[in-house]
Amino acid sequence: MKFTLSWLKTHLETDADLATITKKLTDLGLEVEGVEDKAESLKPFVVGYVVEAKQHPNADRLRVCQVDTGKGVLQVVCGAPNARAGLKGVFAPVGTHVPGTGLDLKAGNIRGEASNGMLCSARELGLGQDHDGIIELPDDAPVGASFVEYRKLNDPVIEIKITPDRADCLGVFGVARDLASAGLGKLKPIAEKQVKGTFQSPIQWKIDESAKALVPYTAGRYFKGVKNGPSPQWLQDRLTAIGLRPISALVDITNFVTFDLCRPLHVFDADKVKGDVVMRSAKEGETILALDGKTYDLEPGMVVIADDQGPEAIGGIMGGEVSGCSETTTNVFVEAALFDTTVTAKTGRKLGILSDARYRNERGLDPQSELWGMDVATRLILEICGGEPSEITSAGALPSGTRELTFRPARVLALGGVEVAPAKQKQILVDLGFKVIETSAESWSVTTPSFRADVEGEADLVEEVMRVHGFDHIPATSMPRAGAMPPVAVTLGQKRVQQTKRLLAVRGLNETVTFSFMPSGVAAMFTGNNALVPLANPISADLDVMRPSILGNLLMAAERNAARGFSDIALFEVGPTYLGETAKDQILSATGLRVGNTPRHWQVKQRPLDAYDAKADAFALLSAFGVPVENLQLEAAAPAHYHPGQSAVLRLGPTILGQFGTIHPKVAQALGVKGAAVGFEVFLERLPAPRSKGTARPMLNASALQPLERDFAFIVDASVAAEKLVKAAKGADKALITEVKLFDLFQGGSLPDGKKSLALSVTLQPRDKTLTDAEIEALSAKVVAAVNKATGGELRK
Amino acid sequence: MQAKWLNAVAASASIETLEQVRVDALGKKGEISGLMKTLGAMDPDARKEFGAKINVVKDEVTAAIEAKKTNLADAALNAKLARETLDLTLPARPEYEGRIHPISQTIDEIIAIFGEMGFSVAEGPDIEDDFHNFTALNIPADHPARQMQDTFYLPQKADGSQMVLRTHTSPVQIRTMLKGDLPIRVICPGRTYRVDSDMTHSPMFHQVEGLVIDTHTNMGHLKGCLQDFVRAFFGIDNLPVRFRPSYFPFTEPSAEVDIGCDRSGGELKLGGDKDGNAKHWLEILGSGMVHPNVLKNCGIDPAKYQGFAFGMGIERIAMLKYGIPDLRTFYETDLRWLRHYGFVPLDIPTAVGGLTR
């Protein structure tokens, strides 16, 4: 909301300077968003007199003017159609910053004629939109005088942000009241004289049954014999200062009362109203041509002000063009009504109308303004437009708008943490318009004023006291500790998320954060058997469903990076995926993607990445959290976004902990990813918790005897999984065999088709005595037998 | 003879030659060994005298051979080492270290600071129902925040209800309160969503909210807690902090929190002057005492319990702390950005070990 300092001072007697006032406004919760001081921005502009204006020799539309600036005569080339000798205008000397254009004036030469300054239009001064010609000042304007002082623009404009609860401060008067309560001066109360009507209004108010719940009360007054025309300069200045366009006296009066007192009014040209006016719900199919020149489709539930012809105004939002006032209006009907805040907001939103009336009506007006608001309007109309007022007509019952609350002054300390003397608390509340009865020392009865519908309970009263007293006075108290040491802040799951990120980064993957939504076309490649989870109102068509997997986002990111020249890339994200709308459908996934080749190196041969790279990432992650990776079952059952022959799910008992593999070439291709692409997804919440009992580890059982290694190579069918051999060899003697490593795979050569050779290194750990050759021989035979039994593999000779 | 053999040792250029010298001098059939054999035939006096002499010769030659052997071995090793010289300016086998995203790093910093103050981390689902995201928070049915232009909705269900993408992490506060495990001291970091996308808004962003509920925590604690936080987070001991009255449906009284800064010269610098006075202010978070209606909605008796809540944007404070200019770049996965603004994985923020390297 905008107002000027002098406007504020019409309601507040104060000696405080601008800086003090703006600081206090912010301290009160009326945050100052800006202060525009034209005395500063328009300082260099002076009243200039065009002594002579001649046609520019080389340009039809330009004139060469000799301008008396008060300090001498300068030549200025001017393109305005109204530039002529004898005109008094606004002159800007060279070096001036012109607010309307944002440029600094330089001395120039325009088509061969020197130009030393500028004669300005209203737009160039930032004083409106008028750019048809230069400003014309009255003949008595003193040449060389400061334009700001001459036009009394040296009145700073203050803009404040009003939080949605403070409807009372949407008028300058309410702002003044807050400042006065904070000790910044004395509030001048509204003391309107009531003017008696001399006749009964020919237009009467009715509230139809359909609007009973939406319009509690409405008042009106008929003025006959008014003269509408331009409003007086003081009123025009008030409105232009805050960016409003003066229209006509009657309209300007309604705007002024809206901004000055937060009492929106509407004026109907009474001669254009047919019959009485009624507040009613709009009917299906009704339309209205509103004052903004647009036609709106109305629907039931919206409040309209209608006469015999139909809707004449959208209640609380905007008047209609047909019954609007014009220069020729001689009889006027003034409306001041109370509307339900919710229906006003809904209607305004639906119709897409942002008006000053809607802004106030949807936040809630002071019901009492129905009474004094009409008095103010009466005074201004009679003063400016003359005429004769009717008696006031009304319909409905005026609500009190007040409530009685219990308030314990001790709550200011208990809740607010700041000590404010009870007497001071009372003073603050009274100054803000509350009625306080000290029922007892501990508990008061406080009646809210009609303009403070936002104050609903004791906590609100605490806030009122505290904000006027000043939040600066709240002492900062560090949080007391519950114990000597703070409790552990993160759960096991949260800690694992933190550790996962650091582990994957150490492994060379870069962490990224991508949106939780993705294009449905991409999501469809990753949903498996689950349905897509769409948004009803996506931000854009390509972010229309919740992501079922992070891989899609990572693949798209890889493609974008490749386009920037980074085709070998390793990315991961730890975040949610969504298989449905419920909390349990939100799956936390540590997802990684590697694309391209291993780095080129003079010593290590470059190769395309493959599924084993993804396996290494997944296994590193799982083993870091104590998952017994040797017990994991790899099943060729990964979802369809993986290569069917180069992927696996990782199953531990009945639980799938994750999946990895080569990205399905069709998926990679669809997302524009070139080169090898491998990925993994680990579902962190499914990882088993450590089976910890206390902190002590079991005793280390390190043998004094040296372990020995024996190598075996087996020829098996090419389809036999290597893991089968390893498990069989391990199982050959669970006591002595401590480790089995697969170290070679060979196919082709002398081997028959469909066969492969796998070489195992078996570690034997003697327990209480060295093994004899015979014992080692026997163990080897057991290994060979076990492998043969499990896989049909024969020892390679 | 001694001189002869010592010369021969010195003249040996290889282990092989030296060995031949040893055999010729000290071997079974060697010259010195031969002389030793003659001792037996001598009379005792002569044997004693000649024996002593010949022993001296033998010891000298033996020592010389040993010394020469070491010498030659060293020389051979040195020659071998010289042949083995590597060009160590060649690159080592490649290893890569990734980076931690600034959002994760910032969340870890936030947890480290609030953890020290006794807060623990609470989380909840991103897809929420109307009750947890709005109703319980005292946000009425017709509040503008509930409109389609502000909130992401999922499709309407058969019963007419619609799930939403949480617009703040406040529903986690509600879930924590509904569990009824009092007192409460939690922070809730996480993803949040609003229908907004431009230079300074992203449809998804991260928030951290805090909640304290007990019988005695007041607004002074709120001020202390947040002042302690921003000073620790930005690493500025005397960072000016201002509380300003504001309005949120879920708190009463409510306060916006500003921190001191200096915008002179078009550049933003956090902090005040040496006396802790701010030249300009920067709004950084919203806060307040939990509204009695919110407590009631969560089954907590507002006559007995009270507390505070606050919320701030994680990207926003990360941008301020680390000088990241554009919000939208956080989600673009530009490798150059990740490597430039990301953090090395061992840079783990802790209260005792320091938040920032």
Side-chain angles (χ1 to χ4, degrees):
Chain A
M1 191 174 91
K2 278 185 182 176
F3 54 91
T4 66
L5 186 59
S6 71
W7 192 343
L8 178 69
K9 286 183 175 176
T10 63
H11 296 298
L12 185 72
E13 268 174 46
T14 183
D15 302 327
D17 61 14
L18 183 63
T20 311
I21 289 171
T22 53
K23 178 176 187 312
K24 187 57 87 179
L25 284 168
T26 295
D27 288 350
L28 282 164
L30 308 171
E31 187 189 355
V32 173
E33 293 204 297
V35 176
E36 194 196 355
D37 197 353
K38 290 215 169 68
E40 263 320 298
S41 63
L42 297 183
K43 208 174 184 173
F45 296 84
V46 295
V47 177
Y49 176 67
V50 182
V51 183
E52 180 196 284
K54 283 200 297 200
Q55 182 61 42
H56 192 294
N58 306 320
D60 289 349
R61 293 186 170 183
L62 299 180
R63 260 166 284 267
V64 181
C65 306
Q66 303 301 323
V67 181
D68 182 354
T69 68
K71 284 183 189 164
V73 176
L74 292 171
Q75 176 167 307
V76 173
V77 177
C78 183
N82 60 337
R84 60 181 187 275
L87 177 142
K88 279 192 177 167
V90 184
F91 173 76
V94 167
T96 302
H97 179 79
V98 182
T101 62
L103 300 174
D104 292 329
L105 268 186
K106 290 188 187 113
N109 185 303
I110 301 171
R111 300 214 182 171
E113 291 290 333
S115 186
N116 301 298
M118 184 163 97
L119 289 161
C120 306
S121 71
R123 190 165 83 189
E124 282 156 348
L125 292 177
L127 294 176
Q129 287 310 306
D130 192 356
H131 193 54
D132 295 339
I134 52 175
I135 293 177
E136 295 192 30
L137 298 176
D139 290 343
D140 57 0
V143 174
S146 154
F147 172 66
V148 169
E149 276 170 35
Y150 171 70
R151 276 292 291 270
K152 301 197 184 69
L153 293 171
N154 46 355
D155 189 8
V157 180
I158 302 165
E159 183 167 17
I160 57 175
K161 188 167 139 191
I162 310 280
T163 52
D165 55 327
R166 293 304 304 278
D168 63 306
C169 284
L170 293 174
V172 181
F173 180 75
V175 176
R177 178 170 45 222
D178 251 34
L179 285 168
S181 72
L184 226 67
K186 200 164 162 286
L187 184 71
K188 302 180 198 167
I190 304 175
E192 280 302 327
K193 217 170 54 196
Q194 284 180 8
V195 177
K196 259 190 135 34
T198 54
F199 58 98
Q200 196 193 14
S201 170
I203 297 174
Q204 292 289 313
W205 266 123
K206 278 184 203 145
I207 300 176
D208 184 68
E209 201 54 41
S210 64
K212 273 258 152 67
L214 309 175
V215 186
Y217 184 82
T218 181
R221 191 166 219 178
Y222 190 101
F223 294 79
K224 61 180 174 190
V226 298
K227 189 181 174 299
N228 197 16
S231 52
Q233 193 65 42
W234 72 265
L235 181 49
Q236 294 200 20
D237 287 347
R238 282 267 180 274
L239 298 179
T240 45
I242 60 167
L244 291 178
R245 191 164 52 95
I247 293 165
S248 69
L250 286 170
V251 175
D252 292 355
I253 288 169
T254 65
N255 282 334
F256 174 69
V257 177
T258 299
F259 281 87
D260 190 43
L261 301 168
C262 190
R263 173 66 258 185
L265 301 166
H266 182 62
V267 283
F268 294 94
D269 185 327
D271 297 331
K272 295 176 190 161
V273 173
K274 301 287 172 259
D276 287 336
V277 280
V278 55
M279 293 280 184
R280 65 163 168 84
S281 170
K283 292 172 190 161
E284 199 73 59
E286 277 184 331
T287 60
I288 184 169
L289 174 62
L291 279 172
D292 60 3
K294 292 181 196 160
T295 300
Y296 294 95
D297 293 326
L298 304 170
E299 48 187 88
M302 296 177 173
V303 175
V304 293
I305 300 167
D307 62 4
D308 294 352
Q309 306 168 106
E312 297 291 356
I314 310 164
I317 294 176
M318 194 171 274
E321 183 69 41
V322 174
S323 55
C325 285
S326 67
E327 300 281 323
T328 60
T329 298
T330 50
N331 299 311
V332 63
F333 184 73
V334 180
E335 166 239 317
L338 281 181
F339 295 95
D340 177 73
T341 52
T342 309
V343 77
T344 311
K346 266 191 192 157
T347 304
R349 214 150 45 212
K350 249 187 192 157
L351 299 178
I353 303 177
L354 288 169
S355 67
D356 295 318
R358 172 194 162 188
Y359 189 64
R360 285 161 179 76
N361 278 306
E362 70 185 11
R363 279 163 177 76
L365 302 180
D366 176 5
Q368 289 295 312
S369 70
E370 285 288 310
L371 306 179
W372 54 251
M374 197 55 86
D375 295 334
V376 172
T378 301
R379 171 174 55 82
L380 289 169
I381 290 172
L382 295 181
E383 223 171 78
I384 296 168
C385 308
E388 200 178 320
S390 76
E391 287 160 6
I392 291 172
T393 164
S394 71
L398 190 65
S400 82
T402 65
R403 35 172 97 78
E404 208 178 302
L405 302 171
T406 303
F407 176 65
R408 294 162 293 167
R411 288 299 289 162
V412 171
L413 179 59
L415 188 65
V418 65
E419 191 105 50
V420 184
K424 173 89 191 289
Q425 295 193 31
K426 184 177 176 185
Q427 188 59 52
I428 289 171
L429 290 173
V430 168
D431 286 347
L432 287 171
F434 294 83
K435 280 199 195 99
V436 179
I437 299 168
E438 293 177 62
T439 332
S440 71
E442 292 78 37
S443 181
W444 300 350
S445 167
V446 175
T447 307
T448 62
S450 57
F451 47 84
R452 291 302 301 272
D454 60 306
V455 176
E456 293 175 322
E458 194 177 40
D460 302 87
L461 292 170
V462 170
E463 181 176 69
E464 289 306 300
V465 170
M466 288 180 61
R467 72 178 179 88
V468 173
H469 179 63
F471 276 17
D472 284 352
H473 291 114
I474 304 170
T477 312
S478 290
M479 292 298 285
R481 278 201 169 175
M485 299 295 290
V488 174
V490 287
T491 61
L492 175 72
Q494 291 159 353
K495 191 173 172 176
R496 282 180 165 179
V497 168
Q498 293 177 316
Q499 290 173 331
T500 296
K501 291 173 179 175
R502 302 210 176 252
L503 180 127
L504 293 174
V506 163
R507 293 186 56 80
L509 296 110
N510 290 290
E511 190 192 4
T512 182
V513 174
T514 64
F515 286 155
S516 297
F517 10 75
M518 61 163 56
S520 48
V522 175
M525 298 182 226
F526 296 89
T527 40
N529 296 324
N530 296 289
L532 290 172
V533 183
L535 291 169
N537 56 334
I539 191 95
S540 67
D542 62 356
L543 294 173
D544 57 341
V545 298
M546 301 305 286
R547 62 185 189 188
S549 162
I550 300 171
L551 274 174
N553 281 347
L554 298 186
L555 284 159
M556 288 189 280
E559 188 273 329
R560 288 196 303 273
N561 278 289
R564 293 184 199 111
F566 302 94
S567 44
D568 295 340
I569 190 168
L571 297 170
F572 78 94
E573 178 173 353
V574 183
T577 59
Y578 311 85
L579 303 181
E581 291 187 0
T582 67
K584 70 170 173 39
D585 294 326
Q586 182 174 324
I587 314 281
L588 177 65
S589 175
T591 304
L593 174 76
R594 292 179 185 266
V595 174
N597 299 302
T598 59
R600 293 170 75 176
H601 187 259
W602 58 276
Q603 214 176 15
V604 186
K605 207 173 159 237
Q606 190 183 30
R607 61 170 176 84
L609 296 166
D610 59 35
Y612 298 104
D613 293 296
K615 182 182 179 183
D617 289 329
F619 273 58
L621 188 51
L622 292 168
S623 39
F625 296 128
V627 173
V629 286
E630 64 282 0
N631 296 344
L632 284 175
Q633 283 172 296
L634 274 68
E635 291 175 6
H641 55 263
Y642 287 105
H643 184 308
Q646 297 181 5
S647 64
V649 296
L650 298 164
R651 188 188 289 280
L652 185 68
T655 315
I656 292 177
L657 301 185
Q659 54 214 21
F660 72 91
T662 305
I663 303 299
H664 197 293
K666 273 172 98 169
V667 172
Q669 194 194 8
L671 298 178
V673 174
K674 295 189 184 81
V678 300
F680 65 89
E681 291 157 281
V682 171
F683 310 118
L684 290 176
E685 291 152 327
R686 298 186 192 162
L687 269 48
R691 269 178 288 168
S692 69
K693 288 198 185 88
T695 51
R697 308 284 176 95
M699 191 68 76
L700 171 67
N701 181 16
S703 174
L705 302 169
Q706 211 177 354
L708 31 125
E709 274 185 29
R710 285 290 176 277
D711 292 350
F712 303 84
F714 293 97
I715 295 169
V716 293
D717 284 345
S719 61
V720 171
E723 198 186 18
K724 267 192 159 176
L725 275 78
V726 173
K727 283 200 168 145
K730 250 186 204 166
D733 188 320
K734 286 190 170 137
L736 292 175
I737 297 175
T738 51
E739 198 177 9
V740 177
K741 281 186 282 196
L742 191 145
F743 68 90
D744 193 34
L745 162 70
F746 177 74
Q747 270 172 304
S750 61
L751 289 178
D753 273 358
K755 294 283 182 185
K756 65 183 172 187
S757 162
L758 292 168
L760 305 178
S761 162
V762 177
T763 306
L764 307 173
Q765 175 62 63
R767 293 294 161 185
D768 28 61
K769 62 177 183 57
T770 318
L771 298 174
T772 64
D773 286 350
E775 283 167 332
I776 294 170
E777 209 44 55
L779 255 173
S780 298
K782 273 166 84 176
V783 169
V784 173
V787 170
N788 179 267
K789 192 176 169 213
T791 67
E794 298 285 346
L795 200 61
R796 191 176 175 194
K797 302 272 160 41
Chain B
M1 187 173 65
Q2 181 178 347
K4 181 183 92 182
W5 285 115
L6 289 179
N7 282 339
V9 168
S12 301
S14 71
I15 293 283
E16 293 74 32
T17 329
L18 184 66
E19 178 61 11
Q20 195 54 55
V21 171
R22 189 190 65 80
V23 170
D24 293 348
L26 301 169
K28 273 182 187 161
K29 290 174 182 165
E31 188 180 16
I32 298 171
S33 309
L35 287 175
M36 298 288 276
K37 283 176 195 158
T38 64
L39 289 176
M42 293 183 183
D43 64 66
D45 286 349
R47 186 191 308 156
K48 194 176 173 186
E49 190 192 347
F50 189 70
K53 275 188 183 164
I54 197 76
N55 264 330
V56 169
V57 173
K58 185 187 167 192
D59 289 351
E60 291 271 333
V61 172
T62 305
I65 289 172
E66 279 312 308
K68 184 70 184 181
K69 209 185 228 171
T70 310
N71 234 329
L72 285 173
D74 281 354
L77 180 62
N78 286 341
K80 179 171 184 275
L81 293 184
R83 287 194 304 276
E84 288 172 357
T85 299
L86 298 180
D87 175 6
L88 292 179
T89 63
L90 281 168
R93 289 172 197 86
E95 279 176 25
Y96 279 98
E97 190 185 58
R99 290 287 178 269
I100 295 291
H101 195 281
I103 291 175
S104 293
Q105 186 76 9
T106 305
I107 290 176
D108 284 354
E109 290 177 39
I110 292 166
I111 293 174
I113 300 170
F114 282 113
E116 194 68 14
M117 293 189 226
F119 287 78
S120 54
V121 178
E123 290 173 312
D126 293 13
I127 302 177
E128 270 292 359
D129 58 30
D130 198 69
F131 173 77
H132 289 92
N133 196 69
F134 293 125
T135 312
L137 286 155
N138 203 33
I139 302 173
D142 54 298
H143 195 277
R146 290 191 171 204
Q147 299 312 306
M148 279 281 215
Q149 64 264 33
D150 293 308
T151 303
F152 283 110
Y153 282 89
L154 279 86
Q156 202 161 45
K157 291 195 257 195
D159 63 0
S161 70
Q162 263 179 301
M163 301 293 275
V164 302
L165 296 188
R166 64 180 181 194
T167 56
H168 40 200
T169 58
S170 309
V172 185
Q173 295 190 33
I174 298 299
R175 288 175 182 279
T176 307
M177 285 190 274
L178 283 169
K179 274 189 209 145
D181 206 359
L182 297 163
I184 292 169
R185 216 183 258 203
V186 294
I187 52 169
C188 320
R191 294 177 174 227
T192 49
Y193 308 87
R194 307 237 175 118
V195 185
D196 217 342
S197 185
D198 57 34
M199 276 290 283
T200 55
H201 295 90
S202 167
M204 184 192 93
F205 57 103
H206 292 72
Q207 260 197 352
V208 61
E209 295 192 4
L211 174 71
V212 173
I213 302 290
D214 55 28
T215 55
H216 55 273
T217 290
N218 64 42
M219 208 151 169
H221 296 111
L222 173 60
K223 201 177 196 179
C225 175
L226 292 175
Q227 182 168 297
D228 290 344
F229 170 76
V230 293
R231 288 180 177 177
F233 179 79
F234 290 110
I236 304 171
D237 289 343
N238 65 347
L239 180 63
V241 175
R242 176 174 80 169
F243 266 47
R244 194 157 44 71
S246 190
Y247 169 78
F248 307 107
F250 27 85
T251 49
E252 190 73 40
S254 305
E256 299 263 19
V257 182
D258 300 337
I259 55 175
C261 64
D262 186 348
R263 294 195 184 88
S264 313
E267 207 177 311
L268 180 75
K269 190 173 162 283
L270 296 183
D273 61 19
K274 65 180 187 334
D275 302 320
N277 297 314
K279 189 160 191 178
H280 303 115
W281 292 102
L282 180 70
E283 185 181 315
I284 191 159
L285 61 94
S287 68
M289 303 306 292
V290 178
H291 198 291
N293 291 352
V294 174
L295 294 173
K296 260 183 257 169
N297 292 340
C298 297
I300 296 175
D301 180 4
K304 201 170 157 197
Y305 290 99
Q306 63 183 43
F308 65 68
F310 60 84
M312 66 187 123
I314 290 172
E315 285 87 341
R316 176 162 165 74
I317 60 171
M319 286 165 80
L320 288 170
K321 180 167 181 175
Y322 294 111
I324 304 173
D326 187 348
L327 171 70
R328 294 172 302 180
T329 56
F330 278 80
Y331 323 100
E332 281 173 355
T333 318
D334 182 336
L335 191 63
R336 298 164 299 180
W337 189 94
L338 295 175
R339 298 211 60 89
H340 181 78
Y341 290 110
F343 293 79
V344 299
L346 282 184
D347 204 353
I348 300 174
T350 66
V352 290
L355 293 170
T356 329
R357 202 199 280 214

